[in-house]
Amino acid sequence: MAGPSQHAHWSSRWTFLLAAVGSAVGLGNIWKFPYEAGEGGGGAFVLIYLAFVFIVGLPVLIAELSMGRRGQLSPIGSMAKIAKEEGRSKLWGLVGWSGVVGGFIVISFYSVVGGWVLAYLLKAPMGFAGYDAALSTQTFGAFITDPVNPIVAHFGFLLITVLIVARGVQGGLEKAVTFLMPALFVLLIGLMLYSAITADFAAALNFLFNPDWGKLNVNTVLQALGLAFFSLSLALGSIMTYGSYLTKDMNIPRSAVTIAAADSGVALLAGLAIFPIVFAYGLNPGQSVGLVFTTLPIAFGQMPGGAIIGTLFFFLLTVAAVTSAISLLEPAVSYVEERTGIDRKKVSVYIAIAAFALGTLSAWGQPGNILGTVKVFGLDFMSLKDYITNNIMMPLGGMFIALFVGWFVSRKNMMDELAMEDGTFKLWYFLVRFVCPVAIGAVFVSIIYNTIIAS
Ligand code: PHE
């Protein structure tokens, strides 16, 4: 097993922050957040999402980063090692396993959606002239039900990801994010300004920030917590692995606040870039999964310079997806490398091939595609994997991480690791011991209850 001295490290706090924000900011923020906010009725959903990010997500983010840094190993290695040092059961290693396996499952379908984005990026420069609701829906439908193209796109997306991961922490991850993240921010702010100036910004502001509490129900609350976790990259090994590349001198709580703020800030910016266009062209904000792929192209097809704006938008989405995908592949790579000592390049390729294979199920499992009629527990493969990870592994993983640092690691060790001011530590400790487990537990129970009642 590789000892701490061989374990890679970020070269600076800045590159760590870029990578962690890169992991957090992804399809969750720019694709999922706007359509879930659209479906959930706008402002009320947004407020609850933000509350979850800061009250439940942030404390778990701090916990995960600190476990990673203390362990200096993959999530599985780190959890087992810390449990042993604290005189706790070996079974805590399972939390690491759940993260690594969950991350692997997510990358297998995340890269399918990443492939869709890539395909639209290639399509966008030709413009979306003449796209109305029917043509746009039909084009997207024809693409995702094609047996070959989505698989090629999925492969292409994973290839980009593995080319970065294979080069290692400093040579691959850092280099990629140092160039990609600033590009992402510039593009996003540019698009937001463009939308603000040319489209219906007032309607978007009203939609995102004026809460209509009547639209809120148990499901939207569940969805908001799930999204807060997903968009912060929690409980899937990514954040713990990135934490393991941290050195002792970096301040975890401060970094975590920056990550959470950047993550939710980007979600809001994405909303402010997308919704003014949606409203200006009289389109429906609650178009579910299709918001980005079917609704926006209609607007790109009508606006002046739409080919350029559309291309920039899908480029932005590609960048956001790639910098998250690398963090989803990384935990499994770091674990296998640590256990077997096999060269990282080979390990990365093997794991990417496995993720590609598992991902074909999600690509072909789209309704209308060759596995479209295969249902497991009534769900197609994409929804099944999403359900297992988002509704089961992430909340349970997050809850156990909170319980572990709150109740099974000594308070003194946590204080040493986090070096927070007394008052802030007390607040964090309270959140992680009581608020997080109870909130996540309640959400988890209602998910299971809803599923059983619904079926
Ligand atoms: N946070 C990423 C997004 O918003 C997804 C992700 C989840 C990445 C979990 C890593 C781990 O798209």
Side-chain angles (χ1 to χ4, degrees):
M1 207 186 264
S5 56
Q6 288 149 279
H7 197 72
H9 284 118
W10 304 109
S11 49
S12 69
R13 176 175 135 86
W14 176 238
T15 50
F16 157 67
L17 279 178
L18 285 178
V21 172
S23 166
V25 169
L27 295 172
N29 309 59
I30 304 175
W31 173 59
K32 262 190 171 184
F33 170 79
Y35 83 69
E36 291 196 354
E39 287 176 326
F45 179 89
V46 174
L47 285 178
I48 297 225
Y49 164 77
L50 290 176
F52 280 144
V53 165
F54 287 96
I55 298 171
V56 184
L58 178 58
V60 176
L61 180 64
I62 294 175
E64 260 200 65
L65 285 172
S66 63
M67 289 301 97
R69 180 173 68 185
R70 179 166 162 193
Q72 293 285 303
L73 293 169
S74 72
I76 298 172
S78 289
M79 284 302 292
K81 177 172 156 194
I82 298 167
K84 193 164 168 220
E85 285 169 3
E86 298 283 337
R88 304 294 179 183
S89 160
K90 259 196 185 144
L91 285 175
W92 285 106
L94 286 176
V95 175
W97 271 105
S98 162
V100 171
V101 173
F104 174 75
I105 297 176
V106 171
I107 184 67
S108 80
F109 67 85
Y110 198 86
S111 54
V112 171
V113 182
W116 300 351
V117 176
L118 212 50
Y120 267 68
L121 172 62
L122 297 181
K123 199 196 275 289
M126 281 140 2
F128 296 95
Y131 271 50
D132 55 12
L135 178 61
S136 197
T137 312
Q138 191 212 335
T139 310
F140 181 59
F143 173 71
I144 62 171
T145 53
D146 185 89
V148 181
N149 291 340
I151 300 285
V152 175
H154 166 48
F155 182 84
F157 183 86
L158 266 175
L159 186 66
I160 299 175
T161 308
V162 79
L163 284 175
I164 298 171
V165 172
R167 291 185 159 78
V169 174
Q170 295 198 355
L173 273 56
E174 280 194 1
K175 285 225 170 87
V177 295
T178 321
F179 157 71
L180 293 174
M181 292 313 289
L184 184 142
F185 279 104
V186 170
L187 274 176
L188 185 60
I189 291 171
L191 278 175
M192 199 272 289
L193 291 177
Y194 175 88
S195 283
I197 294 164
T198 64
D200 197 346
F201 200 57
L205 282 176
N206 184 42
F207 178 71
L208 281 173
F209 298 110
N210 193 1
D212 174 0
W213 297 107
K215 287 258 175 71
L216 219 59
N217 55 42
V218 185
N219 276 326
T220 23
V221 175
L222 297 183
Q223 213 157 31
L225 182 74
L227 184 66
F229 262 60
F230 186 81
S231 94
L232 285 173
S233 299
L234 296 178
L236 289 183
S238 305
I239 289 295
M240 213 182 276
T241 308
Y242 278 16
S244 77
Y245 304 138
L246 280 174
T247 48
K248 288 283 174 217
D249 54 344
M250 291 195 215
N251 183 306
I252 287 182
R254 207 156 15 108
S255 307
V257 171
T258 310
I259 298 165
D263 185 54
S264 43
V266 167
L268 293 176
L269 277 178
L272 290 177
I274 291 172
F275 288 121
I277 300 179
V278 169
F279 291 123
Y281 289 88
L283 304 168
N284 177 358
Q287 279 302 23
S288 177
V289 181
L291 179 64
V292 157
F293 297 106
T294 60
T295 310
L296 277 186
I298 304 175
F300 294 144
Q302 294 174 25
M303 65 174 62
I308 298 172
I309 300 295
T311 308
L312 291 176
F313 176 79
F314 284 107
F315 181 66
L316 167 83
L317 206 53
T318 308
V319 169
V322 167
T323 53
S324 296
I326 55 182
S327 77
L328 283 162
L329 201 58
E330 186 64 29
V333 170
S334 95
Y335 175 67
V336 176
E337 200 191 7
E338 169 181 296
R339 280 312 291 254
T340 62
I342 300 175
D343 171 59
R344 162 180 277 264
K345 290 204 172 58
K346 283 196 187 126
V347 174
S348 315
V349 172
Y350 298 153
I351 292 176
I353 291 174
F356 173 73
L358 187 62
T360 55
L361 291 180
S362 316
W364 282 330
Q366 290 304 307
N369 211 320
I370 46 182
L371 296 177
T373 52
V374 184
K375 299 268 189 278
V376 185
F377 302 120
L379 298 172
D380 63 62
F381 283 115
M382 178 94 93
S383 315
L384 177 73
K385 290 194 234 168
D386 188 39
Y387 189 91
I388 295 175
T389 49
N390 222 324
N391 291 350
I392 300 176
M393 297 177 96
M394 294 182 86
L396 277 187
M399 188 165 82
F400 280 112
I401 289 165
L403 288 172
F404 184 65
V405 300
W407 299 91
F408 296 87
V409 175
S410 85
R411 187 171 194 270
K412 176 167 180 314
N413 287 344
M414 280 320 304
M415 281 182 89
D416 289 350
E417 189 67 45
L418 294 175
M420 284 194 226
E421 309 230 327
D422 217 33
T424 338
F425 180 83
K426 282 203 180 108
L427 174 64
W428 172 78
Y429 209 48
F430 174 74
L431 291 172
V432 102
R433 297 186 96 189
F434 300 103
V435 177
C436 298
V438 170
I440 306 169
V443 165
F444 180 70
V445 168
S446 18
I447 290 176
I448 301 303
Y449 179 78
N450 272 0
T451 313
I452 293 167
I453 296 290
S455 60

